[in-house]
Amino acid sequence: DLSVTWLGRAMPGCLYNASGVWCREEDELAALRASAAAALITKSATLAPRDGNPEPRYHPTPLGSINSMGLPNRGFDYYLDFARRYGDGGGKPLFLSLSGLTLDDNCAMLRRLAEAGLPALPEINLSCPNVPGKPQLGYDFGATAEALDAFDAAYPGLYGVKLPPYFDPAHFAAMAEILNRHRRLAFVTCINSIGNGLVVDVDSEAVVIKPKDGLGGLGGDYVLPTALANVREFCRLLPGKDVVGCGGVKSGREAFMHILAGARAVQVGTCLHQEGPGAFARIAAELAALMRAKGYRRLDDFRGRLRTL
Ligand code: DHB
């Protein structure tokens, strides 16, 4: 039994897509809906549609992926229309990822989502590393504090934020102190890609993606230990909030690790990009088999029970 109850609703499993992967177009979202994914999240929306950065802008490697997509998306209205037609999705929650280019844009989208009165939940992206000239909000604690105050004023319901990875205990503590001031901030998703990595191709002696002279966000195997550290630390530091694990999940084993570290639900990014929506049924079956072998019947039997030495 992989079901999860959180945010006041029941979800048939614990796995869904990481924002950005398989969720920019309606046909992709329909394929996720038809898959074994337990929820859906849409591509990070800006107020206006965007083409994104020049190609090539995504490159798979043996250990994961690098991307600098640059927020190509259909614009907020497209995803809001999808959410209207989606309704309650027959029990698969729908999350809308919002990544406005300004705080005003994020607040405008939140107000419009609130007016629509839909069951869809916002995951506000504080961590896109790929828009040239735009720093990641989540690395600016003052700007994050100001943004959360504005989200509280713009949106009356529960919401979540997508965080960048942190690498220092002082940063975990500083961010947690800010997040804990906001009672309707119900979940944090850890982590976004590790920003501004550089993949080098020896044969061509060149970078592999075009934007930012090759710098891009890393996903996949590269990021799993960093993701687990962020999940475990924020679970400890944010009592009463849920942490969604994202980073390096490609089989039931990594999903198990995230839940053991405390994750309520688990997102799949790079692996979904490589394998397609069939990945959800495979990973869910692997997780169920691992749980059976260990004698666990529900996720609650081991969530957050990671042992220390
Ligand atoms: C993009 C990348 C991200 O990591 C993100 O959070 C939002 C957008 C992008 O390049 O499109």
Side-chain angles (χ1 to χ4, degrees), residues 43-44 53 67-72 99 125 127-130 162 192-193:
K43 170 68 185 173
S44 281
N53 290 337
N67 87 82
S68 182
M69 305 300 288
L71 279 168
S99 196
N125 186 357
S127 46
C128 174
N130 297 338
K162 176 83 166 275
N192 207 315
S193 54

Side-chain angles (χ1 to χ4, degrees), residues 198-273:
L198 187 65
V199 170
V200 171
D201 181 69
V202 167
D203 290 333
S204 64
E205 303 179 14
V207 302
V208 299
I209 56 174
K210 182 174 177 69
K212 294 174 72 172
D213 289 345
L215 298 185
L218 303 177
D221 296 354
Y222 300 114
V223 315
L224 175 65
T226 298
L228 293 171
N230 278 261
V231 168
R232 206 275 300 271
E233 293 304 299
F234 280 114
C235 281
R236 285 179 167 175
L237 290 164
L238 302 174
K241 301 190 192 300
D242 285 306
V243 176
V244 179
C246 182
V249 175
K250 63 179 182 184
S251 76
R253 297 179 66 83
E254 298 82 28
F256 185 89
M257 292 178 204
H258 272 274
I259 296 161
L260 200 59
R264 181 70 60 184
V266 175
Q267 298 178 345
V268 183
T270 295
C271 170
L272 171 60
H273 190 280

Side-chain angles (χ1 to χ4, degrees), residues 51-69:
D51 291 334
N53 290 337
E55 296 182 335
R57 59 192 186 180
Y58 182 98
H59 188 87
T61 77
L63 292 176
S65 62
I66 184 169
N67 87 82
S68 182
M69 305 300 288

Side-chain angles (χ1 to χ4, degrees), residues 75-88:
F76 175 71
D77 287 335
Y78 179 91
Y79 303 105
L80 186 62
D81 279 351
F82 175 80
R84 284 187 214 283
R85 281 176 279 114
Y86 186 85
D88 76 353

